[in-house]
Amino acid sequence: MLVLGIDPNYLSVEFPQTVYANAFNTMEQALLYRHIVPKICWKLQKWLQIGEEKKLSRAWQTFDRFLYERISSRKANMEKKEEEFDLLTAYMAEEEEEEVKEDEQISALRKTDKFLRDTAFSFLGAGNDTISSGLVWFFWLVATHPSVENKILKEIKATIVMHKKEDGERRFFFNTKQANNLVYLHAALCETLRLYPPVPYNHKIAGQADILPSGHHIKKNQTVLISYYAMGRMEEIWGNDCLEFKPERWISEKGCIVHVPTYKFTAFHAGPRNCLGKDKALIQMKMVASAVIGNYHVKVAKGHPVLPRNSIILNMKYGLKVQLSKRSLL
Ligand code: HEM
């Protein structure tokens, strides 16, 4: 919804399967494969159009069709001057108004449908599964740590404005200023992302020969694989309680969020190419987390196995099966 202004209607298992959503998942799976096998193997498979690369090409075509349709519908709406908000429309409007004198060729390229497709794909790839993966681990951690759940509830009740609808049902709302006051919830989300970073690993290629702070020599063009998952659980970095889910470690004595350098808390990467959507992600996660926890008690189904899936995004292998019961206290 936020990126393309379209509701894919796939939140409920009863809804029909969405071809585009399936294509997106297939692409993610095939991209994991590219990280595992030597480059020559997947390049050969791509050339011969076999195996994972064949699946990737097909899914790519399906997803491309979907994105191009969205781009032309957004363009048509912009011409009709229809008021709409989504990231793609905002980006396109910005490009139209851009007054920066850049190279004409670059400027023309940035307005092509292909460039818009790549931009929309980056937004979707970066902000779609990452937030949902983080939230699923969060709900599981909260469900298995009742004292954390109680503290979150207490904070929500103290911060958020209740609103009684005409039919008597009560709902709550909050704005971004109030969201900033949800300190404990913010801490619980950061603690979740430390233990279960949605992007569990990353790799970078050295532009120049270098020596890492650890003393390891890196050659030019050598690939370095960084495991954010392992870093979030290292005793040297997080202390001897590193495996415990403790939102309190993020809160100072004065009750504020402790600043943790990005090179220590690496879930959003660090340095010049770190995540551009970090603040947006945390706000969005706070909105969903407080709406769910404030209105429902989440209980994990008995015997449901909770394991990470091998993927470029740290999803749960079998999803999270839960029982929701409506709360009466809010
Ligand atoms: C919990 C949610 C999220 C996590 C854990 C996360 C994590 C990351 C990580 C690890 C990177 C670095 C990737 C790399 O080096 O290749 C990254 C980059 C990026 N993220 Fe996020 N992200 C999240 C949500 C979002 C959202 C909601 C958006 C915006 C729609 C977003 C936009 C971006 C962009 C544009 C980049 C590329 C930055 C660049 O290369 O300069 N992210 N993110």
Side-chain angles (χ1 to χ4, degrees):
M1 279 291 281
L2 190 76
V3 175
L4 301 171
I6 179 176
D7 186 349
N9 280 329
Y10 74 147
L11 271 187
S12 171
V13 280
E14 291 95 31
F15 290 160
Q17 290 271 313
T18 312
V19 188
Y20 306 121
N22 291 347
F24 193 84
N25 291 341
T26 310
M27 283 156 80
E28 255 182 22
Q29 212 46 42
L31 289 177
L32 171 74
Y33 184 77
R34 280 195 183 176
H35 280 82
I36 298 168
V37 298
K39 200 170 176 180
I40 180 94
C41 292
W42 68 258
K43 286 256 177 192
L44 190 66
Q45 285 199 349
K46 187 178 174 194
W47 186 63
L48 295 170
Q49 276 302 292
I50 53 170
E52 289 296 316
E53 287 298 319
K54 184 178 172 187
K55 286 191 213 160
L56 177 62
S57 301
R58 289 200 173 159
W60 204 314
Q61 277 168 15
T62 309
F63 207 73
D64 261 7
R65 233 185 359 258
F66 167 65
L67 288 180
Y68 281 127
E69 275 166 24
R70 297 311 305 157
I71 291 167
S72 44
S73 103
R74 300 289 90 180
K75 277 188 171 168
N77 288 352
M78 277 170 80
E79 270 165 29
K80 283 190 245 154
K81 305 242 178 291
E82 278 177 17
E83 279 282 313
E84 262 168 317
F85 181 79
D86 54 73
L87 285 180
L88 181 62
T89 310
Y91 180 85
M92 283 156 67
E94 185 89 353
E95 282 299 296
E96 285 298 316
E97 285 165 20
E98 194 67 76
E99 281 179 11
V100 181
K101 294 277 169 284
E102 55 184 3
D103 186 310
E104 267 182 32
Q105 252 182 324
I106 297 178
S107 169
L109 171 77
R110 284 158 71 97
K111 286 179 187 148
T112 60
D113 281 4
K114 185 170 177 295
F115 195 88
L116 290 173
R117 177 205 66 174
D118 291 346
T119 306
F121 186 77
S122 296
F123 284 151
L124 276 176
N128 182 32
D129 275 5
T130 47
I131 290 188
S132 57
S133 144
L135 279 171
V136 171
W137 290 105
F138 168 81
F139 288 128
W140 173 66
L141 283 166
V142 171
T144 48
H145 293 79
S147 66
V148 173
E149 183 186 12
N150 286 336
K151 286 182 194 164
I152 293 175
L153 268 175
K154 211 170 133 194
E155 189 180 65
I156 292 175
K157 282 208 279 182
T159 313
I160 286 169
V161 179
M162 295 299 299
H163 177 78
K164 204 166 184 178
K165 283 184 29 177
E166 279 162 19
D167 59 8
E169 199 181 325
R170 290 192 291 169
R171 292 272 164 82
F172 61 76
F173 294 95
F174 67 89
N175 54 33
T176 38
K177 202 166 161 232
Q178 287 163 332
N180 288 337
N181 295 335
L182 294 169
V183 173
Y184 194 82
L185 179 60
H186 188 101
L189 287 167
C190 290
E191 183 68 345
T192 305
L193 298 176
R194 171 182 78 84
L195 286 167
Y196 296 97
V199 181
Y201 65 93
N202 200 341
H203 73 242
K204 295 286 161 214
I205 298 168
Q208 297 296 331
D210 204 354
I211 304 171
L212 296 183
S214 60
H216 289 89
H217 286 252
I218 307 290
K219 292 188 206 125
K220 187 178 174 181
N221 293 333
Q222 192 173 347
T223 303
V224 180
L225 196 74
I226 311 155
S227 172
Y228 301 141
Y229 184 89
M231 282 181 75
R233 289 154 186 261
M234 279 168 75
E235 209 174 312
E236 302 94 290
I237 302 178
W238 295 98
N240 52 14
D241 58 357
C242 57
L243 297 181
E244 284 171 45
F245 176 59
K246 256 170 91 175
E248 287 73 13
R249 76 175 83 236
W250 295 85
I251 302 172
S252 70
E253 276 177 14
K254 286 187 180 157
C256 303
I257 289 291
V258 176
H259 170 74
V260 178
T262 49
Y263 284 95
K264 177 176 173 183
F265 175 47
T266 46
F268 293 98
H269 198 50
R273 299 305 296 265
N274 73 355
C275 178
L276 295 175
K278 182 178 176 182
D279 292 340
K280 181 183 117 40
L282 283 164
I283 289 268
Q284 212 172 323
M285 288 172 83
K286 274 186 207 167
M287 285 164 70
V288 179
S290 56
V292 173
I293 302 220
N295 287 303
Y296 299 96
H297 170 63
V298 180
K299 191 174 160 211
V300 180
K302 218 172 163 198
H304 179 74
V306 172
L307 294 168
R309 189 174 65 145
N310 270 340
S311 162
I312 52 171
I313 300 289
L314 194 72
N315 287 317
M316 277 191 190
K317 194 168 180 180
Y318 304 104
L320 184 64
K321 224 178 213 182
V322 298
Q323 210 174 22
L324 295 178
S325 35
K326 208 155 174 38
R327 286 186 200 279
S328 50
L329 59 151
L330 272 177

mmCIF file of all heavy atoms in Angstrom, residues 137-154:
data_model
loop_
_atom_site.group_PDB
_atom_site.id
_atom_site.type_symbol
_atom_site.label_atom_id
_atom_site.label_comp_id
_atom_site.label_asym_id
_atom_site.label_seq_id
_atom_site.Cartn_x
_atom_site.Cartn_y
_atom_site.Cartn_z
ATOM 1 N N TRP A 137 8.895 -11.876 14.597
ATOM 2 C CA TRP A 137 9.784 -12.265 15.707
ATOM 3 C C TRP A 137 9.411 -11.482 16.962
ATOM 4 O O TRP A 137 9.442 -12.007 18.069
ATOM 5 C CB TRP A 137 11.256 -12.040 15.337
ATOM 6 C CG TRP A 137 11.744 -13.015 14.296
ATOM 7 C CD1 TRP A 137 11.964 -12.754 12.976
ATOM 8 C CD2 TRP A 137 12.044 -14.412 14.474
ATOM 9 N NE1 TRP A 137 12.382 -13.893 12.329
ATOM 10 C CE2 TRP A 137 12.447 -14.928 13.224
ATOM 11 C CE3 TRP A 137 12.008 -15.273 15.569
ATOM 12 C CZ2 TRP A 137 12.813 -16.267 13.044
ATOM 13 C CZ3 TRP A 137 12.380 -16.600 15.390
ATOM 14 C CH2 TRP A 137 12.772 -17.081 14.137
ATOM 15 N N PHE A 138 9.033 -10.225 16.779
ATOM 16 C CA PHE A 138 8.639 -9.394 17.926
ATOM 17 C C PHE A 138 7.414 -10.002 18.630
ATOM 18 O O PHE A 138 7.415 -10.169 19.851
ATOM 19 C CB PHE A 138 8.338 -7.964 17.430
ATOM 20 C CG PHE A 138 7.663 -7.088 18.441
ATOM 21 C CD1 PHE A 138 8.397 -6.450 19.431
ATOM 22 C CD2 PHE A 138 6.289 -6.895 18.408
ATOM 23 C CE1 PHE A 138 7.773 -5.643 20.380
ATOM 24 C CE2 PHE A 138 5.659 -6.093 19.342
ATOM 25 C CZ PHE A 138 6.403 -5.466 20.333
ATOM 26 N N PHE A 139 6.382 -10.369 17.851
ATOM 27 C CA PHE A 139 5.174 -10.921 18.480
ATOM 28 C C PHE A 139 5.486 -12.234 19.201
ATOM 29 O O PHE A 139 4.952 -12.505 20.272
ATOM 30 C CB PHE A 139 4.058 -11.125 17.440
ATOM 31 C CG PHE A 139 3.454 -9.822 16.982
ATOM 32 C CD1 PHE A 139 3.339 -9.520 15.633
ATOM 33 C CD2 PHE A 139 3.000 -8.889 17.909
ATOM 34 C CE1 PHE A 139 2.800 -8.304 15.219
ATOM 35 C CE2 PHE A 139 2.455 -7.672 17.506
ATOM 36 C CZ PHE A 139 2.355 -7.384 16.153
ATOM 37 N N TRP A 140 6.373 -13.009 18.622
ATOM 38 C CA TRP A 140 6.739 -14.283 19.272
ATOM 39 C C TRP A 140 7.478 -14.005 20.582
ATOM 40 O O TRP A 140 7.180 -14.606 21.626
ATOM 41 C CB TRP A 140 7.602 -15.117 18.317
ATOM 42 C CG TRP A 140 8.163 -16.342 18.952
ATOM 43 C CD1 TRP A 140 7.452 -17.422 19.402
ATOM 44 C CD2 TRP A 140 9.533 -16.598 19.250
ATOM 45 N NE1 TRP A 140 8.304 -18.345 19.946
ATOM 46 C CE2 TRP A 140 9.594 -17.865 19.871
ATOM 47 C CE3 TRP A 140 10.720 -15.897 19.040
ATOM 48 C CZ2 TRP A 140 10.789 -18.435 20.280
ATOM 49 C CZ3 TRP A 140 11.910 -16.465 19.457
ATOM 50 C CH2 TRP A 140 11.934 -17.726 20.074
ATOM 51 N N LEU A 141 8.442 -13.063 20.537
ATOM 52 C CA LEU A 141 9.210 -12.751 21.750
ATOM 53 C C LEU A 141 8.300 -12.186 22.845
ATOM 54 O O LEU A 141 8.415 -12.557 24.013
ATOM 55 C CB LEU A 141 10.330 -11.750 21.420
ATOM 56 C CG LEU A 141 11.546 -12.353 20.710
ATOM 57 C CD1 LEU A 141 12.437 -11.257 20.135
ATOM 58 C CD2 LEU A 141 12.354 -13.227 21.670
ATOM 59 N N VAL A 142 7.381 -11.297 22.441
ATOM 60 C CA VAL A 142 6.485 -10.698 23.442
ATOM 61 C C VAL A 142 5.563 -11.776 24.023
ATOM 62 O O VAL A 142 5.329 -11.832 25.236
ATOM 63 C CB VAL A 142 5.676 -9.534 22.818
ATOM 64 C CG1 VAL A 142 4.585 -9.055 23.762
ATOM 65 C CG2 VAL A 142 6.605 -8.375 22.480
ATOM 66 N N ALA A 143 5.062 -12.660 23.153
ATOM 67 C CA ALA A 143 4.157 -13.719 23.626
ATOM 68 C C ALA A 143 4.863 -14.661 24.595
ATOM 69 O O ALA A 143 4.233 -15.238 25.475
ATOM 70 C CB ALA A 143 3.612 -14.505 22.431
ATOM 71 N N THR A 144 6.167 -14.797 24.441
ATOM 72 C CA THR A 144 6.884 -15.724 25.324
ATOM 73 C C THR A 144 7.571 -14.996 26.497
ATOM 74 O O THR A 144 8.291 -15.612 27.271
ATOM 75 C CB THR A 144 7.935 -16.537 24.513
ATOM 76 O OG1 THR A 144 8.699 -15.620 23.706
ATOM 77 C CG2 THR A 144 7.276 -17.560 23.597
ATOM 78 N N HIS A 145 7.361 -13.685 26.599
ATOM 79 C CA HIS A 145 7.907 -12.905 27.724
ATOM 80 C C HIS A 145 6.794 -12.031 28.312
ATOM 81 O O HIS A 145 6.722 -10.826 28.011
ATOM 82 C CB HIS A 145 9.084 -12.023 27.257
ATOM 83 C CG HIS A 145 10.281 -12.808 26.834
ATOM 84 N ND1 HIS A 145 10.374 -13.412 25.620
ATOM 85 C CD2 HIS A 145 11.431 -13.101 27.501
ATOM 86 C CE1 HIS A 145 11.534 -14.044 25.538
ATOM 87 N NE2 HIS A 145 12.184 -13.879 26.664
ATOM 88 N N PRO A 146 5.927 -12.612 29.154
ATOM 89 C CA PRO A 146 4.754 -11.875 29.659
ATOM 90 C C PRO A 146 5.105 -10.569 30.375
ATOM 91 O O PRO A 146 4.335 -9.606 30.300
ATOM 92 C CB PRO A 146 4.090 -12.858 30.625
ATOM 93 C CG PRO A 146 4.660 -14.193 30.300
ATOM 94 C CD PRO A 146 5.986 -13.987 29.663
ATOM 95 N N SER A 147 6.270 -10.498 31.037
ATOM 96 C CA SER A 147 6.580 -9.255 31.760
ATOM 97 C C SER A 147 6.817 -8.121 30.748
ATOM 98 O O SER A 147 6.452 -6.967 31.001
ATOM 99 C CB SER A 147 7.791 -9.439 32.669
ATOM 100 O OG SER A 147 8.935 -9.670 31.892
ATOM 101 N N VAL A 148 7.386 -8.457 29.589
ATOM 102 C CA VAL A 148 7.602 -7.435 28.550
ATOM 103 C C VAL A 148 6.242 -6.983 28.001
ATOM 104 O O VAL A 148 5.984 -5.791 27.828
ATOM 105 C CB VAL A 148 8.499 -7.993 27.402
ATOM 106 C CG1 VAL A 148 8.582 -7.014 26.237
ATOM 107 C CG2 VAL A 148 9.888 -8.333 27.925
ATOM 108 N N GLU A 149 5.350 -7.941 27.795
ATOM 109 C CA GLU A 149 4.017 -7.610 27.280
ATOM 110 C C GLU A 149 3.310 -6.632 28.231
ATOM 111 O O GLU A 149 2.736 -5.629 27.806
ATOM 112 C CB GLU A 149 3.195 -8.896 27.137
ATOM 113 C CG GLU A 149 1.825 -8.650 26.533
ATOM 114 C CD GLU A 149 0.950 -9.896 26.534
ATOM 115 O OE1 GLU A 149 1.312 -10.894 27.199
ATOM 116 O OE2 GLU A 149 -0.092 -9.859 25.875
ATOM 117 N N ASN A 150 3.398 -6.916 29.550
ATOM 118 C CA ASN A 150 2.732 -6.036 30.522
ATOM 119 C C ASN A 150 3.295 -4.620 30.486
ATOM 120 O O ASN A 150 2.553 -3.640 30.555
ATOM 121 C CB ASN A 150 2.888 -6.597 31.941
ATOM 122 C CG ASN A 150 1.978 -7.785 32.117
ATOM 123 O OD1 ASN A 150 0.968 -7.912 31.423
ATOM 124 N ND2 ASN A 150 2.340 -8.691 33.022
ATOM 125 N N LYS A 151 4.619 -4.521 30.348
ATOM 126 C CA LYS A 151 5.229 -3.182 30.327
ATOM 127 C C LYS A 151 4.806 -2.426 29.065
ATOM 128 O O LYS A 151 4.566 -1.222 29.103
ATOM 129 C CB LYS A 151 6.758 -3.293 30.407
ATOM 130 C CG LYS A 151 7.223 -3.675 31.793
ATOM 131 C CD LYS A 151 8.726 -3.732 31.847
ATOM 132 C CE LYS A 151 9.175 -4.441 33.114
ATOM 133 N NZ LYS A 151 10.541 -4.860 33.102
ATOM 134 N N ILE A 152 4.720 -3.140 27.953
ATOM 135 C CA ILE A 152 4.309 -2.473 26.703
ATOM 136 C C ILE A 152 2.865 -1.970 26.852
ATOM 137 O O ILE A 152 2.544 -0.832 26.511
ATOM 138 C CB ILE A 152 4.440 -3.426 25.485
ATOM 139 C CG1 ILE A 152 5.912 -3.749 25.232
ATOM 140 C CG2 ILE A 152 3.799 -2.829 24.224
ATOM 141 C CD1 ILE A 152 6.165 -4.762 24.126
ATOM 142 N N LEU A 153 2.011 -2.821 27.419
ATOM 143 C CA LEU A 153 0.602 -2.444 27.591
ATOM 144 C C LEU A 153 0.454 -1.209 28.474
ATOM 145 O O LEU A 153 -0.309 -0.296 28.172
ATOM 146 C CB LEU A 153 -0.140 -3.591 28.259
ATOM 147 C CG LEU A 153 -0.801 -4.583 27.324
ATOM 148 C CD1 LEU A 153 -1.390 -5.722 28.111
ATOM 149 C CD2 LEU A 153 -1.886 -3.894 26.504
ATOM 150 N N LYS A 154 1.238 -1.208 29.566
ATOM 151 C CA LYS A 154 1.176 -0.097 30.516
ATOM 152 C C LYS A 154 1.552 1.210 29.796
ATOM 153 O O LYS A 154 0.899 2.238 29.942
ATOM 154 C CB LYS A 154 2.165 -0.371 31.657
ATOM 155 C CG LYS A 154 1.738 0.203 32.977
ATOM 156 C CD LYS A 154 2.634 -0.322 34.070
ATOM 157 C CE LYS A 154 3.054 0.862 34.913
ATOM 158 N NZ LYS A 154 4.136 0.595 35.796
#
